[in-house]
Amino acid sequence: MRFFTCVIFLFLISCDLSAQIRLPKLIGDNMVLQRDQPVTIWGWAAPKEKVTVTLKNKSYNAVTSADGEWKIQLPAQPAGSGFEMVLKGKNQILIKNIAFGDVWLCSGQSNMVINMERVKERFADDIASANYPDIRNFFVQTLTSLNGPEKEFPVGEWKTANPKDVLTMGAVTYFFAKDLYDQYKVPIGIINSSVGGTPIQAWISEGGYKDFADIQKIIAKNKDTAYVSSFKRIFPNNRSQPQVTDLGQIEHWENTSYQPQGWRNFNIPGYWEDQGVKDLNGFVWFRREFEIPENWIGKPVKLYMGRIVDADEMYVNGKKIGNTTYQYPPRRYEIPAGLLKAGKNTFVIKVTNQTGKGGFVPDKPYFMTVDDQQIDLKGTWQYKVGEVYQPQKKGNSSSPLVHQNQPTALYNAMVAPVLPMKLKGFIWYQGESNVDNPEPYKKLMPALINDWRGLWKNPDAPFLVVQLPNFQDVNYTPAESNMALIREAQNQALALKNTAVTVTLDLGEWNDIHPLNKKDIGKRLALSARNLAYNERDVVYSGPTLKSQTIEQDKIILTFDHIAKGITSKDSESLRWFSIADYDKKFVWAAARIIGKDQIELSSELVKTPKYVRYGWQDNPEGINLYNSEGLPASPFRTDVEMLDDSKPWKGKKCAVVLTYDDALNVHLDNVIPALDSLSLKGSFYLTASSDAARNRIKDWRAAATNGHELGNHTLYHPCDATGPGMSWVKPEYDLSKYSLARIQDEIKMCNAYLKSIDGKTKRTFAFTCGHKKVAEGEFIQTLSDEFIAARAVRHEMHSLDEQNLMDIDCYGMSGESGEKMIELVKQAQQSGKLLVFLFHGVGGEHALNVSNQAHSQLLHYLKENEKDIYVDTMLNVAEHIDKMKK
């Protein structure tokens, strides 16, 4: 009986505990709730349990649902702090020091994570004076979920800004909040949900991917537990390495009793890749003796060893004083009092490198200090290799599935639990992890903004984006840049209302992806918030942005918005980082001259007819100096890219034009492709594999394909129906009317194989030879619909997008037409909004059907000069656009 009595007692206790009111971590002491809006308090309790919330002597009730959830909506409250809230059910909870103010959700990757402790040397005074009880921070622990949105965080608490707790607050967000608080004296709540090294894809909800079919497939696959379990799960900075044997560890090279032999000189700072040690991943040890002054003895000494790639262990006189496990944190160690001795002291560093260049990052602090005295640690050290990792063979094991990099994984676990909270707005600082593949970012950035606004049911919520700062080596010649493409994609978010992009192109560090000047970033974000979220429309929050470009003979005139009282050179030197180009897009540096409060004139002796401009189009345009009078820098930009709207017919333009060229002629390679390339236009070239130019100039066709031109299928031997009038030239063996269905199918498939060997592609379009469609058994193209996206016929007609039959697209064959005549056709397409396809054979000769180079050039220049109205692309790209729009 005693046993059963105990069991019943424990059962009753567990039932009582399960009935207790339970709150999410976001609802607790020191929390900030959004002012001036009805807000939700939520939690869990026993089913059908009555829950009462009392605030300011007013009570609000709810009954828990069958699944144990409850929500209570409180009426809008004005700004203020120091309030208490009592929640009653089977139990009672008291929440203290509640504030009503403005709540910002701040998200992204490591530069949003980096806290004030990381920048404490630079901003020591700000930390010491951080007495702001109405600035509160909630930092979300790193979590992932592949299965769907979570409802709660396992841990977390609100902390107020004081000299101790501010060290754990994100540096960007603290300075942002401080500026807003100083301006409005309104409590500011920061919910910092960020994870280093993560792509934008991980932060978008499943619903945000409705227009991303490929990503939807990944999300569905990741919900399959068996599939996910088939991967070895890893976490960043904890990657497995092959078993190694470190001679330095075996022989204890850190000990003072060790007698060094075979050590070589090495200059710190620097990478060993640059000092005679090539492609070494493994352990490298460094040592040096330093003379220590008598007055340092018995005192703790601060040691700064810059940054080290990747990991390190620091030893002084044989004792380990600290270690860092990955490359990004600054090396700040303390040598304990009593460890140093008068005279010579031995310093040893064991460096572990996993990939790429290993060593000591230049332009970082390398010294030790006490009582305002310093000893420089830079200079000649000695090194010795302890162990070299053996290269791992490819294919030994399956690639790991890094959960935090998967679509929706971080949204599900780190953003979804915030959904019941009302917010003032969003801040986003991310992009570094998408630099390797920047193209998708153009669609992912607006997808994220629209997704979060939709989830919070606030389509006008302010969304502030931090543009990537300057980083990496300075390139002193005009170059392509993936970082510039990410910045451009971030700028394109400005097309959405109530968004702002904070330019940081002057705040980065060439050797550090985590620049320390987070204060100016926070202050610039606060300017954007003041304008967009707090309706101070006279606050200047943006540097100069390009308004228009005008070409005047050999000069380009740029006009800018957001100039305040005018544009200026910050350092009074000539404006830097402007380049110009003709249609060939061969950019050269331009002389830039301010000619008015909002205008700049560009020119170069090397470009007599400039068409395009780029500004700041580098990974690191160090020393940019184009600012407005309020001290805000201009955003990087370029004018050599079309801004297309994939959601509209002809991508937002009036009509579409496709330039096609049949029969694989030498003049296509010698005349046409250079003319197209000089104007950055693309054509579709239909190759018969048997022609001389097709057989003998494969390298040239491959180069054309690499440059964006389409290689289309025109069969092996160009068969045509010999029975029609004027077709006596057709060889009997290539009389299409005598072909069997199997023969034409085989020849077309063989031509596809030939084309794939040139360009490596599988998507293709087809052009009917002579426009003929039938073999002995009837029409053949429908039997090859799986082989092609579209097929081009020969019939002088134009059609609208809705009228297009992708397997029978019409075109206008050209022979002897003047440039004016062809341009007239384009004007008809512009007026009617239709697709116009040109068919050329000879261009400047080599075929009986020919147009002159001059006429062809006139057409191309008209298309280029009117590109704002005309969508010019390959047949393949236009066909895919038509297919997408019809779906």
Side-chain angles (χ1 to χ4, degrees):
M1 280 298 293
R2 183 179 299 173
F3 171 78
F4 286 109
T5 301
C6 290
V7 170
I8 293 170
F9 176 71
L10 291 172
F11 173 76
L12 292 173
I13 289 177
S14 65
C15 289
D16 186 61
L17 288 173
S18 67
Q20 302 286 305
I21 296 175
R22 185 168 60 86
L23 297 173
K25 299 298 184 293
L26 281 166
I27 305 297
D29 293 347
N30 305 315
M31 69 177 173
V32 183
L33 298 174
Q34 182 58 43
R35 63 173 171 143
D36 302 331
Q37 294 186 37
V39 296
T40 300
I41 305 297
W42 75 102
W44 301 268
K48 305 303 181 183
E49 182 175 350
K50 182 181 178 181
V51 177
T52 301
V53 172
T54 302
L55 174 72
K56 297 182 180 180
N57 298 318
K58 292 186 177 180
S59 296
Y60 310 88
N61 300 314
V63 176
T64 305
S65 64
D67 59 2
E69 295 184 1
W70 57 267
K71 291 182 180 180
I72 293 177
Q73 189 173 79
L74 304 180
Q77 304 289 327
S81 60
F83 303 106
E84 293 187 347
M85 180 185 294
V86 177
L87 298 97
K88 289 184 179 180
K90 297 285 180 65
N91 60 320
Q92 179 171 306
I93 298 174
L94 172 65
I95 302 176
K96 297 175 288 186
N97 196 26
I98 299 168
F100 288 91
D102 293 329
V103 183
W104 291 85
L105 176 60
C106 305
S107 188
Q109 54 183 108
S110 53
N111 273 303
M112 187 69 90
V113 174
I114 285 175
N115 55 32
M116 292 294 287
E117 196 279 335
R118 182 81 161 260
V119 296
K120 64 183 180 182
E121 285 84 15
R122 182 165 185 153
F123 301 112
D125 291 343
D126 293 281
I127 292 170
S129 62
N131 292 301
Y132 289 88
D134 279 346
I135 295 178
R136 289 106 182 270
N137 183 78
F138 187 99
F139 192 82
V140 179
Q141 179 190 35
T142 297
L143 300 160
T144 63
S145 172
L146 299 179
N147 294 319
E150 302 289 342
K151 294 183 178 180
E152 166 64 318
F153 301 127
V155 295
E157 61 181 322
W158 289 92
K159 292 187 176 182
T160 61
N162 56 64
K164 175 177 175 290
D165 288 330
V166 76
L167 293 173
T168 63
M169 294 184 181
V172 166
T173 59
Y174 172 70
F175 287 120
F176 167 78
K178 179 180 179 296
D179 264 32
L180 291 185
Y181 182 82
D182 287 343
Q183 185 70 28
Y184 303 112
K185 298 298 186 287
V186 170
I188 302 294
I190 299 294
I191 302 173
N192 192 327
S193 181
S194 312
V195 181
T198 55
I200 190 173
Q201 290 91 330
W203 295 99
I204 301 172
S205 78
E206 184 171 353
Y209 285 118
K210 59 182 182 297
D211 296 325
F212 297 80
D214 53 339
I215 295 181
Q216 289 178 21
K217 293 177 182 177
I218 296 172
I219 294 169
K221 192 179 291 186
N222 284 344
K223 291 180 180 179
D224 181 346
T225 304
Y227 168 77
V228 172
S229 299
S230 68
F231 292 85
K232 180 181 180 182
R233 186 171 184 182
I234 69 161
F235 298 90
N237 306 321
N238 188 28
R239 300 179 185 273
S240 60
Q241 288 290 342
Q243 186 67 36
V244 296
T245 303
D246 177 16
L247 189 60
Q249 185 173 339
I250 294 171
E251 297 182 356
H252 293 286
W253 292 351
E254 78 279 8
N255 282 355
T256 55
S257 59
Y258 167 73
Q259 297 298 313
Q261 291 181 334
W263 291 65
R264 298 181 179 182
N265 288 344
F266 186 93
N267 193 57
I268 289 179
Y271 300 102
W272 58 65
E273 181 82 13
D274 302 325
Q275 298 191 41
V277 182
K278 185 178 180 182
D279 297 337
L280 191 157
N281 297 322
F283 301 128
V284 181
W285 292 67
F286 298 83
R287 64 182 287 122
R288 183 177 172 182
E289 292 182 340
F290 288 92
E291 292 277 349
I292 302 299
E294 187 74 35
N295 63 343
W296 283 34
I297 307 307
K299 298 178 181 179
V301 175
K302 291 184 178 179
L303 185 148
Y304 297 88
M305 207 63 201
R307 277 184 49 231
I308 299 175
V309 182
D310 290 303
D312 68 282
E313 296 176 13
M314 186 77 195
Y315 298 88
V316 175
N317 292 333
K319 302 295 184 182
K320 183 176 178 179
I321 64 166
N323 71 288
T324 306
T325 59
Y326 63 111
Q327 65 169 295
Y328 294 116
R331 271 46 176 187
R332 302 179 305 202
Y333 301 128
E334 183 171 292
I335 304 174
L339 182 56
L340 293 175
K341 60 186 180 181
K344 292 183 179 180
N345 292 258
T346 303
F347 288 65
V348 175
I349 310 171
K350 174 185 175 181
V351 178
T352 307
N353 187 55
Q354 310 285 5
T355 184
K357 287 186 174 184
F360 302 80
V361 177
D363 288 350
K364 292 293 180 182
Y366 293 84
F367 66 93
M368 53 184 167
T369 180
V370 64
D371 295 338
D372 297 326
Q373 291 181 288
Q374 289 187 7
I375 294 178
D376 191 356
L377 299 177
K378 298 191 295 293
T380 302
W381 291 52
Q382 284 73 46
Y383 81 90
K384 190 172 184 178
V385 177
E387 181 67 22
V388 179
Y389 292 160
Q390 295 303 311
Q392 289 183 290
K393 295 180 180 179
K394 295 181 179 179
N396 281 356
S397 59
S398 60
S399 299
L401 186 74
V402 182
H403 287 219
Q404 68 180 33
N405 293 346
Q406 297 302 304
T408 76
L410 297 178
Y411 164 80
N412 287 340
M414 297 181 64
V415 176
V418 186
L419 279 175
M421 294 281 287
K422 292 292 179 65
L423 304 174
K424 184 72 172 179
F426 306 96
I427 303 178
W428 179 253
Y429 189 170
Q430 188 275 340
E432 298 91 340
S433 289
N434 289 88
V435 165
D436 286 345
N437 183 23
E439 184 64 24
Y441 210 88
K442 291 188 293 187
K443 294 181 180 179
L444 292 166
M445 186 74 253
L448 173 80
I449 296 172
N450 290 326
D451 181 37
W452 285 13
R453 284 175 167 177
L455 289 164
W456 267 272
K457 297 180 174 58
N458 187 354
D460 297 323
F463 205 107
L464 314 181
V465 178
V466 180
Q467 192 180 75
L468 291 188
N470 51 310
F471 175 54
Q472 298 285 22
D473 295 335
V474 179
N475 193 331
Y476 286 99
T477 58
E480 299 303 322
S481 165
N482 279 7
M483 291 196 75
L485 290 170
I486 291 289
R487 295 182 191 119
E488 179 180 66
Q490 291 169 328
N491 271 341
Q492 289 174 12
L494 293 171
L496 300 174
K497 59 184 178 180
N498 232 27
T499 59
V501 172
T502 294
V503 176
T504 65
L505 207 58
D506 56 340
L507 302 179
E509 300 174 24
W510 76 269
N511 58 2
D512 202 332
I513 201 170
H514 303 124
L516 297 180
N517 189 359
K518 297 295 190 279
K519 186 173 186 176
D520 282 335
I521 297 176
K523 292 171 73 69
R524 290 178 186 177
L525 281 167
L527 291 175
S528 296
R530 288 173 60 188
N531 186 288
L532 297 184
Y534 296 90
N535 298 310
E536 287 193 69
R537 297 306 182 190
D538 59 338
V539 170
V540 178
Y541 66 95
S542 170
T545 57
L546 182 66
K547 180 180 180 181
S548 64
Q549 167 184 302
T550 304
I551 299 173
E552 297 182 0
Q553 297 179 336
D554 61 345
K555 295 179 175 61
I556 294 180
I557 308 299
L558 304 178
T559 303
F560 291 86
D561 277 329
H562 297 287
I563 62 168
K565 295 179 181 178
I567 55 178
T568 183
S569 168
K570 185 180 182 181
D571 55 12
S572 300
E573 294 186 2
S574 298
L575 295 177
R576 293 184 285 271
W577 300 107
F578 281 97
S579 60
I580 59 175
D582 202 336
Y583 282 135
D584 60 6
K585 295 188 180 181
K586 295 179 180 178
F587 283 89
V588 300
W589 295 126
R593 185 167 67 94
I594 298 174
I595 59 174
K597 73 173 187 177
D598 65 346
Q599 288 191 323
I600 292 173
E601 177 190 271
L602 304 176
S603 63
S604 170
E605 292 183 357
L606 300 175
V607 182
K608 299 303 182 184
T609 56
K611 305 296 181 184
Y612 300 124
V613 177
R614 288 181 175 183
Y615 171 68
W617 198 261
Q618 303 275 332
D619 288 350
N620 183 9
E622 190 173 72
I624 61 165
N625 58 353
L626 175 57
Y627 285 68
N628 63 19
S629 60
E630 291 295 310
L632 295 174
S635 176
F637 64 85
R638 61 174 173 165
T639 65
D640 58 296
V641 64
E642 289 186 279
M643 299 300 179
L644 301 175
D645 187 344
D646 290 336
S647 67
K648 295 180 180 178
W650 312 137
K651 301 200 173 186
K653 301 193 177 187
K654 291 182 178 179
C655 69
V657 172
V658 176
L659 303 166
T660 70
Y661 304 84
D662 282 11
D663 295 0
L665 305 177
N666 287 291
V667 292
H668 297 159
L669 293 167
D670 298 333
N671 298 343
V672 174
I673 288 176
L676 292 172
D677 288 346
S678 71
L679 299 175
S680 298
L681 295 172
K682 305 303 175 190
S684 293
F685 296 85
Y686 288 102
L687 274 62
T688 42
S690 60
S691 73
D692 290 342
R695 292 195 313 269
N696 300 327
R697 301 186 66 177
I698 288 176
K699 182 179 179 181
D700 295 327
W701 292 115
R702 182 172 289 123
T706 301
N707 205 28
H709 301 291
E710 178 191 1
L711 304 186
N713 189 315
H714 213 36
T715 81
L716 287 181
Y717 304 110
H718 198 291
C720 293
D721 188 341
T723 62
M727 302 302 294
S728 58
W729 56 271
V730 177
K731 295 180 180 180
E733 61 266 35
Y734 302 132
D735 181 354
L736 186 65
S737 66
K738 303 295 193 298
Y739 267 47
S740 67
L741 183 61
R743 180 180 176 183
I744 191 64
Q745 289 173 337
D746 286 345
E747 289 188 7
I748 286 174
K749 289 180 179 179
M750 284 189 282
C751 189
N752 268 352
Y754 159 76
L755 294 172
K756 185 178 180 182
S757 71
I758 297 175
D759 63 14
K761 298 178 181 178
T762 55
K763 291 183 178 180
R764 199 79 60 191
T765 64
F766 178 77
F768 293 104
T769 46
C770 301
H772 298 158
K773 304 175 182 178
K774 292 182 180 180
V775 291
E777 294 96 327
E779 292 195 3
F780 61 84
I781 191 62
Q782 292 303 328
T783 68
L784 294 162
S785 59
D786 291 341
E787 296 282 327
F788 298 109
I789 303 295
R792 192 214 65 201
V794 180
R795 189 169 47 230
H796 287 203
E797 295 180 12
M798 298 183 212
H799 296 284
S800 68
L801 188 146
D802 291 336
E803 296 169 342
Q804 294 296 330
N805 176 357
L806 287 180
M807 285 298 168
D808 197 9
I809 295 176
D810 295 318
C811 74
Y812 285 74
M814 297 290 102
S815 180
E817 280 79 3
S818 66
E820 290 80 3
K821 181 66 175 178
M822 292 187 287
I823 290 170
E824 185 59 37
L825 285 172
V826 178
K827 290 179 179 179
Q828 291 177 29
Q830 289 176 264
Q831 293 170 359
S832 62
K834 294 180 178 179
L835 168 64
L836 167 61
V837 180
F838 284 102
L839 163 57
F840 297 98
H841 292 85
V843 177
E846 201 181 354
H847 199 283
L849 304 175
N850 182 65
V851 297
S852 69
N853 282 326
Q854 181 182 3
H856 182 256
S857 179
Q858 280 182 266
L859 170 64
L860 298 191
H861 277 84
Y862 180 83
L863 294 174
K864 192 64 182 180
E865 289 160 6
N866 292 271
E867 64 182 352
K868 68 180 186 301
D869 295 328
I870 305 169
Y871 170 43
V872 183
D873 211 337
T874 64
M875 181 67 82
L876 178 64
N877 290 341
V878 170
E880 288 188 323
H881 170 66
I882 292 170
D883 187 51
K884 179 181 177 182
M885 292 302 301
K886 283 192 168 187
K887 288 179 179 177

